[in-house]
Amino acid sequence: MIYREQTGESEKVDVRQEDGGCQDTLDRLAVLKPGEFTWIRTDDPREDEL
């Protein structure tokens, strides 16, 4: 999730999307604007993923 502090809006991004979902997510995170922050949720991460 990407949250916008000033408006309280959120944007869901999902790396599990087909057709480059992981790269799309990384590209979006690379251009976070002032006042935006992310919450990253992992489901049962493996040791090497942490």
Side-chain angles (χ1 to χ4, degrees):
M1 297 295 289
I2 298 173
Y3 295 97
R4 292 176 192 88
E5 278 185 312
Q6 294 176 335
T7 64
E9 296 174 343
S10 63
E11 172 186 343
K12 183 177 182 181
V13 290
D14 191 344
V15 298
R16 296 174 292 179
Q17 300 171 31
E18 295 197 20
D19 300 329
C22 187
Q23 187 59 54
D24 290 345
T25 300
L26 291 173
D27 291 345
R28 177 60 181 97
L29 294 175
V31 295
L32 286 177
K33 298 174 184 164
E36 291 184 328
F37 63 95
T38 62
W39 178 263
I40 301 172
R41 176 181 156 199
T42 58
D43 293 321
D44 297 321
R46 298 183 313 256
E47 180 77 23
D48 63 321
E49 292 175 315
L50 293 175

